[in-house]
């Protein structure tokens, strides 16, 4: 049986165990490799750009290791999934760490939730909300193959203090709300990115990862 | 659409077994940590907390293997605490598959450790664990102090001030245990929970004292907790996590069902 390869890009920013274990758990015939080697990444069938920690350190390592060029190459044709800071890194620019230029794959700014952050709707109206946005929140889906088999407004696990304010509404594939509206998922052609952690989001998250491994990159 | 309040089953693990004591003594065996974690995952737990209460440090390798085994099969966030004393301990746990580490006594002996840890790994994976005991008398305004060594040793540190300082240092969440209530099953220390939750801008997990499902709801509604942690009501089959969530929802609390 010919097995496919999914590369999880390792640029030294912490815990990739979760993402790779969850991908392995849902894959039948895909080998999951955690790697920073450009050649391996460019040969893979599917590529994941994860990320945790602060944006300046992330972008610093991404540039130092040449991951920026690898991602740009991958984004031309292969199914590519950004997770959390990996999604934020794909935007134009982040306000974190006094401003950091990012990969500019998607139009938009990464902004701070604010302190204080005051709720604006439903049970959160007028309530002072904690930052980081930590826990299970709903995502309003925009039709895309990566949502297959996942109920609309299903909950996913989020941990973030900065959020994506996407400039191009047609690229928003999932809407989130925590005090303000934010992009929970963005996508264009063969690239998809999520603010939440699918690898920590139980059945819905595992389904999304399985959908990604089965995805041919057609929107 | 709103953020759900979390229910977190807690595994106190001693020498490779889940145990549960009453006020930190009188240990009862509650099973194999990996099996217990899988059960809670299936019941819809929002996270799992694993506290290594083994007295000696000889069994760290066992703990790391268990964390790995849980992380291989359970795809919800996992917090590991107990014996986290240095940057290397945190790295080992994160590499084993933990998402967050809870720091307790090491922060008391060296508060800068929390700052270094948050800078190194990010606030999202640093939880400050606080063991609080009430020191104010009946009728006085609430005051709580941090105790170490299983509740025997006072530190003179005020709990609310400490929670503020530790979150300023970068802790991304507070795990707040009332040692007066722990294992007593008469409910959280609501006044304590509320005082800390209103004082800090990060999520607070209420812990210690849950004996029934209404206690969980009270922790959120009256204590203003962002998450509620319980052990024995789940371990011994009194309630499932699912039942707990259904009860919380009936009380008007947003939960993930």
């Amino acid at each position: 049986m010919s097995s496919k390869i999914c590369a999880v890009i390792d640029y030294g920013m912490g815990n990739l165990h979760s993402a790779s274990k969850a991908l392995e758990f849902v894959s039948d015939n895909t080998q999951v490799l955690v790697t920073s080697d450009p050649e391996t990444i460019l040969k893979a069938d599917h590529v994941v750009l994860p990320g945790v920690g602060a944006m300046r350190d992330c972008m610093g390592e991404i540039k130092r290791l040449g991951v920026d060029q690898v991602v740009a190459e991958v984004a031309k044709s292969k199914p590519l999934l950004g997770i959390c800071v990996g999604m934020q890194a794909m935007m134009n620019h982040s306000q974190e760490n006094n401003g950091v230029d990012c990969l500019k794959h998607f139009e938009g700014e990464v902004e701070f939730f604010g302190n204080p952050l005051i709720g604006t709707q439903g049970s959160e109206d007028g309530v002072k909300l904690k930052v980081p946005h930590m826990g299970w929140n709903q995502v309003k889906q925009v039709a895309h193959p990566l949502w297959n088999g996942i109920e609309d407004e299903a909950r996913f696990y989020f941990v973030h203090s900065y959020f994506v304010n996407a400039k191009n509404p047609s690229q928003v594939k999932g809407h989130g709300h925590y005090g303000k509206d934010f992009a929970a998922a963005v996508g264009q052609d063969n690239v998809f990115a999520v603010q939440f952690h699918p690898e920590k989001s139980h059945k819905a998250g595992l389904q999304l990862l399985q959908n990604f491994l089965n995805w041919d990159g057609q929107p | 659409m709103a953020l759900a309040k979390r229910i977190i089953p807690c595994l106190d693990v001693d020498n490779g077994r889940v145990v549960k004591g009453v006020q930190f003594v009188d240990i009862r065996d509650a099973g194999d940590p990996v099996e217990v974690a899988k059960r809670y995952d299936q019941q819809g737990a929002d996270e799992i907390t694993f506290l290594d209460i083994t007295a000696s440090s000889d069994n760290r390798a066992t703990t790391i293997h268990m964390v790995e085994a849980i992380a291989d099969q359970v795809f919800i966030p996992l917090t590991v605490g107990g014996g986290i004393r240095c940057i290397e301990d945190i790295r080992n746990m994160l590499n084993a598959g933990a998402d967050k580490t809870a720091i307790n006594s090491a922060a008391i002996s060296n508060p800068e450790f929390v700052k270094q840890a948050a800078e190194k790994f990010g606030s999202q994976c640093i939880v400050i664990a606080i063991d609080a005991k009430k020191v104010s008398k009946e009728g006085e305004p609430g005051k709580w102090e941090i105790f170490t060594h299983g509740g025997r040793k006072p530190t003179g540190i005020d709990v609310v001030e400490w929670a503020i300082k530790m979150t300023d240092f970068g802790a991304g969440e507070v795990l707040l245990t009332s040692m007066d209530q722990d294992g007593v099953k008469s409910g959280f220390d609501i006044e304590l929970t509320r005082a800390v939750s209103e004082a800090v801008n990060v999520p607070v997990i209420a812990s210690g004292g849950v004996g029934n499902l209404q206690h969980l709801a009270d922790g959120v509604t009256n204590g203003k907790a962002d998450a509620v942690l319980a052990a024995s009501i789940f371990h011994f089959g009194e309630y499932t996590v699912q039942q707990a969530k259904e009860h919380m929802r009936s009380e008007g609390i947003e939960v993930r069902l």
Side-chain angles (χ1 to χ4, degrees):
Chain A
M1 192 177 70
S2 70
S3 89
K4 294 196 289 180
I5 290 175
C6 175
V8 178
I9 302 181
D10 179 8
Y11 52 101
M13 293 304 293
N15 179 15
L16 303 178
H17 177 105
S18 305
S20 62
K21 286 294 167 191
L23 286 160
E24 275 169 19
F25 189 81
V26 299
S27 80
D28 296 325
N29 64 339
T30 303
Q31 196 188 353
V32 181
L33 300 174
V34 175
T35 178
S36 59
D37 175 45
E39 213 172 304
T40 309
I41 297 166
L42 293 172
K43 269 197 230 156
D45 303 281
H46 291 78
V47 178
V48 175
L49 181 69
V52 291
M55 186 56 82
R56 187 193 292 134
D57 293 347
C58 278
M59 281 309 302
E61 286 304 289
I62 282 174
K63 286 187 174 152
R64 191 178 69 82
L65 294 165
V67 168
D68 49 347
Q69 287 158 25
V70 178
V71 169
E73 191 58 36
V74 167
K76 285 180 191 165
S77 59
K78 287 182 208 296
L80 169 64
L81 176 67
I83 298 177
C84 194
V85 177
M87 169 188 181
Q88 297 185 355
M90 290 179 180
M91 308 310 294
N92 285 341
H93 180 264
S94 170
Q95 290 177 353
E96 196 174 0
N97 308 124
N98 297 318
V100 181
D101 279 331
C102 299
L103 296 171
K104 305 188 191 333
H105 185 79
F106 291 108
E107 288 278 314
E109 179 83 3
V110 183
E111 299 173 6
F112 185 49
F113 267 121
N115 183 12
L117 175 65
I118 307 295
T120 53
Q121 64 179 39
S123 59
E124 290 176 348
D125 194 15
V127 175
K128 182 172 172 246
L129 301 177
K130 304 286 178 77
V131 177
H133 173 220
M134 183 189 284
W136 299 81
N137 210 335
Q138 290 167 289
V139 177
K140 180 114 193 77
Q141 301 169 5
V142 175
H144 192 280
L146 264 63
W147 299 122
N148 284 351
I150 304 170
E151 207 181 321
D152 192 21
E153 302 196 6
R155 290 181 185 274
F156 292 88
Y157 187 80
F158 290 84
V159 187
H160 58 131
S161 298
Y162 289 79
F163 68 94
V164 168
N165 184 357
K167 210 169 174 182
N168 182 347
S170 71
Q171 291 181 332
V172 178
K173 301 300 175 193
H175 298 277
H177 184 89
Y178 186 64
K180 44 189 87 176
D181 293 326
F182 66 89
V186 289
Q188 175 80 53
D189 304 325
N190 54 307
V191 183
F192 198 83
V194 292
Q195 178 62 67
F196 52 82
H197 288 273
E199 74 281 15
K200 287 288 151 186
S201 296
H202 206 231
K203 286 180 188 155
L206 293 174
Q207 182 67 53
L208 186 137
L209 293 176
Q210 191 166 36
N211 292 344
F212 173 68
L213 292 179
N214 292 331
W215 188 37
D216 59 4
Q218 296 302 310
Chain B
M1 301 209 295
L3 185 62
K5 300 296 178 184
R6 290 169 280 154
I7 294 188
I8 308 177
C10 179
L11 281 49
D12 295 287
V13 180
D14 186 18
N15 284 312
R17 299 291 290 177
V18 177
V19 295
K20 186 58 203 174
V22 176
Q23 282 177 320
F24 291 73
V25 287
D26 186 19
I27 305 291
R28 266 171 89 179
D29 187 277
D32 169 55
V34 181
E35 291 308 313
V36 175
K38 277 162 68 177
R39 186 167 79 228
Y40 295 146
D41 175 66
Q42 282 157 11
Q43 289 179 4
D46 295 312
E47 294 189 29
I48 286 174
T49 291
F50 180 112
L51 292 180
D52 181 11
I53 60 166
T54 311
S56 75
S57 54
D58 305 348
N59 293 314
R60 297 307 282 174
T62 314
T63 302
I64 289 173
H65 287 313
M66 279 184 176
V67 170
E68 278 172 352
I70 293 172
D72 278 353
Q73 300 170 69
V74 170
F75 298 100
I76 56 175
L78 174 64
T79 300
V80 179
I84 303 290
R85 309 204 176 281
C86 60
I87 293 290
E88 199 54 32
D89 290 336
I90 298 176
R91 184 177 292 121
N92 287 341
M93 287 307 165
L94 296 180
N95 284 341
D99 299 284
K100 316 180 203 179
T101 53
I103 303 175
N104 192 332
S105 45
I108 294 164
S109 45
N110 176 20
E112 293 289 322
F113 174 44
V114 168
K115 201 182 256 179
Q116 290 159 4
E119 277 169 12
K120 185 105 196 150
F121 301 105
S123 293
Q124 81 287 342
C125 58
I126 304 301
V127 180
I128 183 73
I130 300 176
D131 292 337
K133 246 184 173 173
K134 194 168 192 173
V135 291
S136 53
K137 303 221 164 51
E138 201 64 36
E140 289 176 1
K143 188 169 166 55
W144 299 266
E145 198 177 307
I146 293 175
F147 278 68
T148 59
H149 296 79
R152 294 188 303 275
K153 203 174 154 191
T155 61
I157 301 170
D158 180 80
V159 167
V160 174
E161 285 171 21
W162 181 249
I164 293 169
K165 179 173 174 177
M166 286 297 99
T167 54
D168 283 348
F169 274 23
E173 196 169 31
V174 177
L175 169 54
L176 179 66
T177 303
S178 162
M179 304 197 76
D180 304 304
Q181 295 302 104
D182 196 67
V184 178
K185 302 194 137 217
S186 61
F188 294 119
D189 183 335
I190 293 294
E191 203 189 347
L192 164 71
T193 307
R194 188 175 188 137
V196 173
S197 190
E198 286 179 346
V200 300
N201 195 38
V202 302
V204 171
I205 305 164
S207 158
V210 174
N212 61 46
L213 301 184
Q214 186 56 36
H215 292 153
L216 295 171
D218 290 343
V220 170
T221 309
N222 302 328
K224 307 287 175 202
D226 301 281
V228 286
L229 180 143
S232 50
I233 62 160
F234 299 132
H235 292 340
F236 301 109
E238 280 172 75
Y239 303 103
T240 64
V241 176
Q242 176 79 15
Q243 287 172 324
K245 288 188 165 183
E246 280 163 6
H247 180 76
M248 283 171 69
R249 187 164 69 172
S250 76
E251 293 283 304
I253 297 167
E254 192 92 23
V255 290
R256 177 180 71 107
L257 270 171

